[in-house]
C-alpha cells in the first residue's frame, strides 16, 4: 500500500488546496510594472473600461453608438458601463462577474454597488503597493508581459532605459513583421530600421530582432496570426517565418509563441473590442513543428473548434506546448471542456491557462475563476483514476498542480535561472 495515500473522501479538499496554493507563473499578459508608468493599467476605472465590457455595453445599449461612447470622458464611460451592465441588468457575464470577484477579494462591499467608493479605494493604492497586493491576492509569482517594440509608447520606455522588475518577464511581440510587405517595411522604418528594398525585408527584420532581443532579454518571441494563416506559404509572411523567425529562435534558443485565429477588426468602430475569432488550420502548426524539431512552440488557438486537433497535434510533437484558454475561450464552460480533453489526451504535459490580463487587478479574478475550474476537472480525473485501485499521495497532487501552473512552462522555456 502506498505510504500516506490519501483517502478518496479527502481528494477534493487536497486538490482544491493544492491548486489554490500553488503560485502561478502567468505566461501571457498585457500588464506592466510600475516603471512603465501609464502603461501600467490598474484600478476600478480601468477594470470597468476593459474592452470586453465596452463590447458588452455597446451591445446591451445600442442607443449609445460606439462613436458616442468613445467621445465620452473616461469617468462618464465608466458610469455608462456600470449603469448598463451592472445596474440596469444583472452582471452575469464572465467579464462582469470578474469585476465583482476582484472587488470581493480586496474586501470591498460588493453588495453596496457603490462605484465611487470602489474608485476611491483603488485611487488610494500606490503602484508598488497595488502590484504587491494583487500578486498576493492572485497568488501569482511572475507574469510574462507583451512587449511590442513597434508600439511607440512602449518603445520610448525601453529606449530611455527602464528599471527591471523580476516579477515581470519580457516577451518580444512581433505581429507587425507578419503583415504585407509595405506594412512591414513601414513598421521597421518607424522603429529605426529603414529598408533599402522589399527584397531586404527579412535581413532587416533579423537585425531588428537582434537589437530588441539584446535590449529586452525576452523569454520567448510571440506573435498573433490571423485565422487564415498557412505555412509554408509563398509570400513575404512565409519567407519571414522560414528565413528570419525560425533561424532567430533556433540561434537564440528562444521558444516561439504562436497565437492563431484572430479576425482583426471585424467591427473597427469598437476599437480594441472589434476583433473576432476564426477557425485556423492546424496544418501550419504541424508543418512548423515538423520542419523545426529543434525549435520549441508555445501555441494557443482562438477557436473552440481547433482545440481537439491541437491536442492531437501535441501528441505528435514534443516541441509543441499547447497553452491557455485564450480570449473568447476564457470562460468556465470552455475552460472545463478544454482542460478535460487536454488531460485525457496529454496527461499533465500542457499549460492549462494564462490570464491575458490587461489591467493589473484582472489577475485576481482571472486566476480565481480559472483555478476553480482546473481544480474541479483535476479532481474528477483523479477520482476516476482512484476508482481503478490506484493510490495517490498529497505530495503527488501538489507536484502535479505545480507542473500545470508553473513547472511545465519553466522547463519548456528553460527559465529556471530567471525565476528561482
Ligand atoms: O493579441 C493578443 O495578445 C490578444 O490577447 C489581444 O490582446 C486581445 O485583445 C485580448 O485582450 N485578449 O484577452
Ligand atoms: Zn493577449
Amino acid at each position: 500500500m502506498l505510504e500516506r495515500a490519501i483517502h478518496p473522501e479527502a481528494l477534493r479538499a487536497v486538490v482544491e488546496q493544492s491548486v489554490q496554493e500553488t503560485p502561478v507563473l502567468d505566461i501571457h499578459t498585457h500588464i506592466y510594472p510600475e516603471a512603465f508608468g501609464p502603461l501600467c493599467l490598474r484600478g476600478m476605472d480601468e477594470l470597468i473600461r476593459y474592452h470586453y465590457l465596452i463590447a458588452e455595453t455597446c451591445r446591451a445599449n445600442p442607443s449609445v453608438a460606439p462613436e458616442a461612447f468613445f467621445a465620452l470622458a473616461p469617468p462618464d464611460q465608466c458610469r455608462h458601463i456600470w449603469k448598463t451592465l451592472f445596474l440596469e441588468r444583472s452582471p452575469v457575464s464572465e467579464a462582469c462577474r470578474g469585476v465583482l470577484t476582484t472587488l470581493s477579494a480586496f474586501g470591498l462591499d460588493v453588495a453596496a454597488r457603490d462605484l465611487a467608493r470602489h474608485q476611491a479605494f483603488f485611487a488610494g493604492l500606490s503602484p508598488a503597493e497595488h502590484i504587491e497586493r494583487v500578486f498576493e491576492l492572485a497568488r501569482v509569482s511572475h507574469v510574462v508581459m507583451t512587449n511590442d517594440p513597434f508600439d511607440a509608447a512602449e518603445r520610448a520606455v525601453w529606449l530611455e532605459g527602464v528599471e527591471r522588475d523580476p516579477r515581470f518577464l519580457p516577451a518580444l511581440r512581433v505581429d507587425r513583421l507578419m503583415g504585407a510587405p509595405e506594412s512591414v517595411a513601414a513598421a521597421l522604418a518607424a522603429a529605426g530600421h529603414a529598408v533599402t528594398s522589399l527584397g531586404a525585408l527579412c535581413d532587416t527584420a533579423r537585425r531588428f530582432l537582434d537589437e530588441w532581443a539584446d535590449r529586452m532579454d525576452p523569454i520567448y518571441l510571440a506573435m498573433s496570426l490571423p485565422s487564415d494563416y498557412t505555412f509554408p506559404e509563398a509570400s513575404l509572411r512565409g519567407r519571414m517565418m522560414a528565413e528570419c523567425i525560425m533561424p532567430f529562435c533556433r540561434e537564440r534558443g528562444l521558444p516561439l509563441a504562436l497565437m492563431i485565429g484572430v479576425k482583426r477588426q471585424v467591427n473597427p468602430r469598437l476599437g480594441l473590442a472589434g476583433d473576432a475569432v476564426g477557425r485556423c488550420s492546424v496544418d501550419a502548426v504541424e508543418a512548423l513543428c515538423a520542419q523545426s524539431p529543434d525549435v520549441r512552440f508555445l501555441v494557443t488557438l482562438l477557436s473552440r473548434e481547433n482545440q481537439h486537433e491541437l491536442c492531437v497535434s501535441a501528441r505528435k510533437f514534443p516541441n509543441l506546448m499547447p497553452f491557455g484558454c485564450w480570449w473568447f475561450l476564457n470562460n468556465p464552460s470552455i475552460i472545463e471542456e478544454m482542460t478535460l480533453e487536454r488531460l485525457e489526451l496529454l496527461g499533465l504535459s500542457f499549460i492549462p491557462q494564462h490570464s491575458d490580463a490587461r489591467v493589473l487587478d484582472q489577475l485576481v479574478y482571472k486566476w480565481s475563476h480559472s483555478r476553480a475550474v482546473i481544480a474541479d476537472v483535476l479532481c474528477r480525473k483523479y477520482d476516476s483514476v482512484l476508482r481503478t485501485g490506484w493510490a495517490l499521495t498529497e505530495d503527488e497532487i501538489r507536484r502535479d498542480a505545480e507542473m500545470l501552473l508553473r513547472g511545465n512552462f519553466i522547463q519548456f522555456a528553460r527559465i529556471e535561472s530567471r525565476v528561482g
Side-chain angles (χ1 to χ4, degrees), residues 175 177-181 184 202 223-245:
D175 295 20
L177 293 181
M178 303 305 280
V184 173
C202 289
M223 60 178 66
S224 75
L225 291 162
S227 49
D228 65 358
Y229 180 69
T230 60
F231 183 86
E233 183 179 72
S235 66
L236 170 66
R237 188 171 70 176
R239 284 186 40 234
M240 189 65 78
M241 180 62 83
E243 298 170 21
C244 175
I245 302 292

Side-chain angles (χ1 to χ4, degrees), residues 34-266:
E34 180 180 4
F36 281 73
L39 290 176
C40 171
L41 302 179
R42 62 192 183 96
M44 190 67 184
D45 289 14
E46 295 301 344
L47 268 177
I48 292 288
R49 294 169 59 230
Y50 187 29
H51 69 76
Y52 290 29
L53 293 175
I54 292 174
E56 292 174 35
T57 300
C58 290
R59 174 178 177 71
N61 182 353
S63 69
V64 178
E67 294 76 10
F69 171 81
F70 286 114
L72 295 172
D76 295 326
Q77 291 178 1
C78 284
R79 278 188 285 273
H80 177 61
I81 292 169
W82 182 254
K83 175 169 168 289
T84 302
L85 296 182
F86 291 80
L87 303 182
E88 291 176 347
R89 48 186 59 72
S90 299
V92 295
S93 78
E94 185 60 8
C96 282
R97 179 171 75 101
V99 172
L100 304 182
T101 299
T102 296
L103 297 178
S104 175
F106 272 100
L108 299 177
D109 179 2
V110 179
R113 303 189 182 186
D114 187 338
L115 175 61
R117 194 190 305 174
H118 301 326
Q119 288 169 320
F121 168 77
F122 287 103
L125 294 174
S126 71
E129 181 190 6
H130 201 165
I131 290 169
E132 197 72 38
R133 290 281 302 279
V134 164
F135 274 58
E136 186 187 319
L137 285 172
R139 283 182 306 293
V140 167
S141 65
H142 300 78
V143 298
V144 183
M145 299 185 277
T146 296
N147 301 113
D148 178 356
F150 293 109
D151 176 90
E154 169 136 21
R155 185 165 63 244
V157 173
W158 287 99
L159 292 177
E160 270 168 40
V162 60
E163 183 196 348
R164 295 301 185 90
D165 181 329
R167 297 168 297 182
F168 291 77
L169 300 165
L172 179 49
R173 181 70 177 257
V174 291
D175 295 20
R176 294 297 307 275
L177 293 181
M178 303 305 280
E182 295 70 22
S183 78
V184 173
L188 285 168
H193 287 257
V195 286
T196 50
S197 77
L198 292 185
L201 274 174
C202 289
D203 291 343
T204 306
R206 176 60 195 261
R207 284 195 297 278
F208 167 85
L209 289 177
D210 285 329
E211 173 197 337
W212 281 94
D214 291 344
R215 179 172 290 117
M216 280 185 186
D217 189 18
I219 62 168
Y220 60 68
L221 187 71
M223 60 178 66
S224 75
L225 291 162
S227 49
D228 65 358
Y229 180 69
T230 60
F231 183 86
E233 183 179 72
S235 66
L236 170 66
R237 188 171 70 176
R239 284 186 40 234
M240 189 65 78
M241 180 62 83
E243 298 170 21
C244 175
I245 302 292
M246 282 298 96
F248 171 81
C249 289
R250 180 174 298 113
E251 290 155 27
R252 292 226 169 205
L254 286 179
L256 175 61
L258 296 172
M259 307 166 69
I260 312 173
V262 194
K263 278 195 298 194
R264 290 284 179 200
Q265 296 298 288
V266 296

Side-chain angles (χ1 to χ4, degrees), residues 28 30 259 326 356:
H28 171 61
H30 298 266
M259 307 166 69
W326 183 28
D356 226 328

